[in-house]
Amino acid sequence: MIQFILNDKEIFTDLPKGELLLDLIRYNKNLTGTKIGCREGDCGACTVLIGEIINGQLRYRTVTSCLTPLGNVEGKHVVTVEGLNLPAGTPGMEKLNPVQQAMYNEGATQCGFCTPGFIVSFAGFCLSEDEKSYGNAIAAIDGNICRCTGYKSIQRAAKNIAALMQKNNGDVIEYVTSNSILPEYFLGIKKRLVDLNSKTNGVKKTSENGNKYLGGGTDLYVQQHEKMVHADIDFLFNKYELNGIRKDVNKCIMGASVTVTDLMESEIIKKAFPDFRKISKLVSSTPIRNIATIAGNFVNASPIGDFTILFLALNSNVMLSDGINKREVALREFYKGYKQIDKKEEEFIEHIWFELPDKKDLFNLEKVSKRTHLDIASVNSAISIKTDGKMILNAGLSAGGVGPVPLYLFKTSAFLKEKKITEDLIVEAVEIAQSEISPISDTRGSEEYKRLLLSQLIKAHFITLFPALCLSKGRTYI
Ligand SMILES: Cc1cc2nc3c(=O)[nH]c(=O)nc-3n(C[C@H](O)[C@H](O)[C@H](O)COP(=O)(O)OP(=O)(O)OC[C@H]3O[C@@H](n4cnc5c(N)ncnc54)[C@H](O)[C@@H]3O)c2cc1C
Ligand code: FES
Ligand code: FES
């Protein structure tokens, strides 16, 4: 039996753990406010909130319920759009909360199909620790698509919702409940989750093993939805020992279940990579980043996996385990051929580590896709450079979409080492990089176009990291 809290009710279900949360919500619980659009994480119509206790605090994040299996919400609080309604005073009646009212007042809904998803994402914004700015309210709906209203009225609603939250400077749950923004039952959820988890116990979660490893499910449920429902899944996402980001001297060690959002919110990462948040916003959308794990990105082995490209440039290592034996593999040696990796079937990634940069290190990620957001890269590239300002002391350059695997450009990286940064150096580096890649023509562009893109991205790295140098002759390289 899986147990969790759905809105204000405790749920027990004997549905398979691989069953999708979306299907339980709509077909089993008849909560049809949550809509089905794409079933691939792209439209946001199925967005729900997941609350769990992390480091003693109740934390809510939005997720796409169309890619979230029941096993990943065990012991947590699931909130659908129905769970956000306020009681009307008359028993059994409900009224709109101020978030819903803001959408209504601004005419931000027409057919209404996308509206529950927007409301839930805005509620996620209200409950988050983010600064309650208009910009962050807009960022919270980056995974929601509206096909008929147009976005201007939704933007006006976002402004009003941000204003609702701006007076809070204390506990967010107390604020939203005492100001009748969200229903009062949210106040009791923390204690109910503690009680629920002490009954079901975390130990069970850590010792349960299936033969199919699952992180957030954002690749597996898109690729193999039908198969996953009855698969014998090992839910790594819920294993406490695989969570968390920590620093050990100058190493950053990330558990296999660390998500993109975990990285964006980590103080260790913010300090080491001040632009990390900006860079990460080029990758998928808020509800996907909330569940997409870095280990999942590595094992999916897409030649254009954004985080694979990023961590290749940082010379990361993966610790593999079969539960008894462990071995470490450099990410640069992990990819053997298209979708072939140096990992035995029984092995899972336990953690990932890399050396934290120091003041001499610079880092940049570039991505070109047909749309800026929520799109797969045509070509992406990352660079990590240790420099004294004039000389490159060490360099790591990676590139995606230009070969059958995510590539670490060994020759180009070695060439850059111990060289003075000049225009000629960059031109030569671009030429060497061209000899290391083998792009093919496909829907994301012709071979020739991808070659051109990589050249431009390498130049973009230098323009971004050394703006003074690139502008010193009064021109840029592009
Ligand atoms: C709408 C949408 C947008 C997306 N946008 C982007 C994007 O912009 N850039 C990008 O790079 N990707 C993108 N993705 C792809 C996906 O989100 C990422 O690849 C993500 O990091 C996968 O992680 P996951 O935890 O969801 O993987 P899962 O689907 O859970 O697993 C993926 C694979 O990894 C294996 N696995 C997971 N964890 C482990 C482990 N610890 N050890 C061993 N094997 C493991 C699984 O068995 C499976 O084979 C997008 C996906 C969606 C649905
Ligand atoms: S149905 Fe489109 S994101 Fe889930
Ligand atoms: S109101 Fe119709 S899709 Fe948004």
Side-chain angles (χ1 to χ4, degrees):
M1 292 289 266
I2 305 170
Q3 294 184 39
F4 59 95
I5 302 172
L6 176 59
N7 297 328
D8 61 348
K9 292 196 176 66
E10 245 174 75
I11 295 293
F12 299 82
T13 173
D14 55 6
L15 284 170
K17 288 191 177 189
E19 184 70 78
L20 284 168
L21 178 59
L22 172 63
D23 293 333
L24 171 125
I25 289 170
R26 282 185 60 90
Y27 303 131
N28 210 276
K29 300 295 166 194
N30 294 324
L31 294 170
T32 50
T34 305
K35 303 296 181 217
I36 303 175
C38 61
R39 270 195 186 269
E40 290 199 350
D42 277 316
C43 74
C46 68
T47 309
V48 299
L49 282 165
I50 305 293
E52 63 182 311
I53 297 175
I54 304 286
N55 300 329
Q57 297 295 320
L58 177 55
R59 184 200 70 191
Y60 285 93
R61 282 181 180 168
T62 49
V63 310
T64 48
S65 60
C66 68
L67 299 179
T68 300
L70 295 177
N72 275 0
V73 299
E74 209 172 355
K76 299 182 186 175
H77 182 208
V78 176
V79 189
T80 67
V81 71
E82 293 88 350
L84 301 174
N85 294 338
L86 297 175
T90 317
M93 298 292 282
E94 289 174 327
K95 65 174 186 184
L96 298 184
N97 70 35
V99 174
Q100 295 161 327
Q101 194 69 47
M103 291 286 278
Y104 174 81
N105 291 349
E106 296 299 340
T109 177
Q110 200 167 206
C111 78
F113 194 80
C114 68
T115 312
F118 275 97
I119 302 279
V120 173
S121 293
F122 278 134
F125 160 75
C126 293
L127 289 167
S128 74
E129 293 302 319
D130 288 346
E131 189 203 337
K132 295 298 180 276
S133 62
Y134 169 64
N136 282 340
I138 293 293
I141 51 167
D142 61 5
N144 297 87
I145 291 174
C146 175
R147 278 286 171 257
C148 67
T149 300
Y151 292 100
K152 278 292 158 210
S153 50
I154 297 174
Q155 287 170 352
R156 287 197 301 272
K159 208 171 206 170
N160 297 340
I161 294 162
L164 271 178
M165 294 300 300
Q166 265 158 9
K167 287 195 190 116
N168 177 40
N169 50 15
D171 182 90
V172 76
I173 306 260
E174 269 174 32
Y175 182 81
V176 293
T177 48
S178 61
N179 287 280
S180 297
I181 295 171
L182 295 181
E184 237 180 58
Y185 79 84
F186 272 82
L187 269 180
I189 292 294
K190 188 172 172 186
K191 181 170 180 319
R192 288 172 68 184
L193 284 182
V194 172
D195 292 348
L196 179 66
N197 280 291
S198 63
K199 267 190 275 162
T200 55
N201 78 72
V203 179
K204 194 180 103 207
K205 281 180 208 155
T206 60
S207 60
E208 260 183 17
N209 293 313
N211 59 19
K212 182 88 180 164
Y213 296 120
L214 184 82
T218 62
D219 278 321
L220 272 180
Y221 273 87
V222 173
Q223 294 158 9
Q224 312 177 17
H225 163 208
E226 302 293 334
K227 269 197 202 162
M228 290 305 292
V229 174
H230 295 286
D232 181 18
I233 302 173
D234 194 337
F235 292 91
L236 302 177
F237 197 70
N238 266 359
K239 293 192 173 178
Y240 305 125
E241 72 275 22
L242 298 184
N243 277 302
I245 302 165
R246 64 189 170 88
K247 191 177 161 189
D248 184 5
V249 196
N250 61 342
K251 275 186 185 177
C252 178
I253 304 167
M254 312 180 289
S257 301
V258 162
T259 64
V260 178
T261 304
D262 292 336
L263 282 182
M264 289 165 78
E265 292 181 353
S266 154
E267 291 305 322
I268 299 170
I269 298 294
K270 279 190 215 165
K271 198 169 163 210
F273 306 100
D275 282 343
F276 195 85
R277 205 177 163 86
K278 200 171 104 197
I279 287 172
S280 299
K281 292 215 163 178
L282 291 176
V283 180
S284 59
S285 61
T286 301
I288 298 295
R289 291 193 294 265
N290 285 344
I291 47 178
T293 66
I294 305 302
N297 201 262
F298 289 3
V299 175
N300 188 47
S302 161
I304 41 170
D306 287 311
F307 282 91
T308 309
I309 292 304
L310 189 152
F311 283 102
L312 270 172
L314 290 173
N315 196 10
S316 306
N317 299 281
V318 292
M319 178 62 83
L320 295 165
S321 167
D322 59 9
I324 301 166
N325 304 305
K326 297 184 190 205
R327 69 188 176 101
E328 192 171 289
V329 182
L331 189 59
R332 291 172 185 179
E333 308 292 341
F334 196 51
Y335 298 98
K336 299 296 176 197
Y338 179 67
K339 295 266 176 182
Q340 287 173 353
I341 50 177
D342 180 5
K343 182 185 93 59
K344 296 186 200 109
E345 210 179 317
E346 63 275 19
E347 286 177 324
F348 64 95
I349 296 182
E350 191 188 81
H351 67 254
I352 298 156
W353 73 267
F354 64 94
E355 284 208 11
L356 282 162
D358 63 27
K359 282 189 186 135
K360 289 182 175 170
D361 289 298
L362 298 169
F363 181 78
N364 191 43
L365 175 84
E366 296 285 340
K367 170 175 178 175
V368 175
S369 45
K370 288 187 179 169
R371 290 187 305 186
T372 310
H373 295 283
L374 249 183
D375 204 359
I376 294 167
S378 295
V379 174
N380 51 10
S381 173
I383 195 165
S384 161
I385 286 192
K386 191 182 276 299
T387 168
D388 60 7
K390 289 193 176 139
M391 290 281 286
I392 297 174
L393 307 175
N394 209 348
L397 180 66
S398 58
V402 286
V405 299
L407 288 175
Y408 178 69
L409 301 180
F410 283 95
K411 284 189 202 158
T412 319
S413 303
F415 167 76
L416 288 168
K417 197 173 169 181
E418 289 168 9
K419 300 270 169 45
K420 208 168 164 204
I421 307 164
T422 63
E423 182 170 346
D424 288 345
L425 179 84
I426 298 165
V427 170
E428 243 183 290
V430 163
E431 269 172 32
I432 298 171
Q434 289 296 327
S435 73
E436 290 195 86
I437 62 174
S438 52
I440 51 165
S441 299
D442 61 18
T443 49
R444 293 192 193 98
S446 64
E447 178 196 338
E448 198 187 1
Y449 173 65
K450 290 180 186 175
R451 284 189 178 276
L452 175 66
L453 276 186
L454 182 64
S455 300
Q456 299 300 80
L457 296 191
I458 294 173
K459 292 171 193 170
H461 287 315
F462 283 92
I463 291 168
T464 306
L465 297 179
F466 306 98
L469 172 99
C470 294
L471 294 172
S472 64
K473 292 182 184 169
R475 62 196 171 94
T476 63
Y477 294 111
I478 291 184

